[in-house]
Amino acid sequence: MKKITKLGILMMAVAMIFSLAACSSGKTTTSTAKKYVIATDTTFKPFEYENDKGERVGIDIDLLAAIAKDQNFDYELKAVGFDGALGEVTSGQSDGMIAGMSITDARKATFDFSDPYFDSGVVMAVSASNDTIKTYADLSGQKVAVKNGTEGATFAESIKAQYGFETVSFPDSANMYEDVKAGNSAALFEDYPVIGDAIASGVPLKMMGNMEAGNSYGFAVKKGQNADLLKMFNAGLADVKANGEYQKILDTYIKK
């Protein structure tokens, strides 16, 4: 065999170094970026719902998309209902949730919240043909419909003993509206932007009385987890508020 010269060995070593460098360069088809799983409600207009084309839209949906674009992160949306979303996040199946979720002290024991992205309030509504229920006092001895996990439900529970009515819970807004329209429940308590959108969309209900001040809505992650996601949401929220995109989204869904 021919002897390998020192020069030949050196040349082979250099070639191997360049080959390894090329393999480890950033020009690879393998992505290491995390794709977040975000849970949401099924129907909570105008925050999340399906339009006539079967597309999932709403304030929460459009806001999340705008923030993800601003912060350059990918996500998968899972519409599992409000109760389902709570379970998804607490069990670790989803990284976060955006579902018109009120920021409360009780929930802070389980979730970490973003900066508030919407300030809400609670209002009472009755069937458009109902002329007997005008104040809370008129609810005495009646059934009142509420949606699980909402600020409206919390408020109704807080005053039902005082005004003598019974609450009936529903998993979504659509069934709650139907119960009041059918006359099974005399009234409902709902977040102002949600019932306002429903009435504007043709649901035969009407608001009664003044709006009660409510809590703010926030994006949530399981307590102590996904701090990076929460940080990106807050940064993106500040950006879309500053550039006008946030107000444009609100104006699309809430008509004053």
Side-chain angles (χ1 to χ4, degrees), residues 88-177:
E88 285 267 334
V89 176
T90 55
S91 66
Q93 296 178 72
S94 289
D95 299 300
M97 67 178 285
I98 185 166
M101 184 178 181
S102 298
I103 302 171
T104 67
D105 289 337
R107 286 175 175 161
K108 286 179 181 179
T110 307
F111 301 95
D112 288 329
F113 284 95
S114 68
D115 295 334
Y117 68 81
F118 189 87
D119 294 322
S120 187
V122 173
V123 68
M124 180 175 74
V126 300
S127 170
S129 61
N130 188 326
D131 295 323
T132 60
I133 306 295
K134 299 182 184 299
T135 68
Y136 299 163
D138 296 326
L139 297 175
S140 180
Q142 304 285 340
K143 290 182 179 180
V144 173
V146 297
K147 178 185 171 184
N148 294 336
T150 63
E151 199 170 345
T154 300
F155 178 74
E157 291 294 333
S158 73
I159 66 168
K160 71 178 186 179
Q162 178 182 354
Y163 291 101
F165 61 81
E166 174 188 351
T167 54
V168 182
S169 300
F170 293 88
D172 57 65
S173 297
N175 282 314
M176 178 176 64
Y177 299 157

Side-chain angles (χ1 to χ4, degrees), residues 41-102:
D41 202 346
T42 50
T43 304
F44 188 46
K45 294 183 69 177
F47 293 92
E48 45 265 339
Y49 62 99
E50 280 192 359
N51 62 16
D52 294 338
K53 298 179 181 179
E55 301 166 331
R56 189 152 294 280
V57 296
I59 293 172
D60 286 350
I61 309 305
D62 291 5
L63 182 60
L64 177 61
I67 289 174
K69 182 178 179 181
D70 180 84
Q71 293 295 301
N72 195 31
F73 68 82
D74 294 326
Y75 66 93
E76 172 192 348
L77 194 66
K78 292 178 69 175
V80 293
F82 188 84
D83 291 342
L86 294 174
E88 285 267 334
V89 176
T90 55
S91 66
Q93 296 178 72
S94 289
D95 299 300
M97 67 178 285
I98 185 166
M101 184 178 181
S102 298

Side-chain angles (χ1 to χ4, degrees), residues 33-36 38 63-76 219 228-234 236:
K34 178 177 174 63
K35 186 174 186 178
Y36 295 99
I38 309 298
L63 182 60
L64 177 61
I67 289 174
K69 182 178 179 181
D70 180 84
Q71 293 295 301
N72 195 31
F73 68 82
D74 294 326
Y75 66 93
E76 172 192 348
F219 176 83
D228 289 343
L229 176 59
L230 203 61
K231 183 177 179 180
M232 286 191 292
F233 187 93
N234 284 335

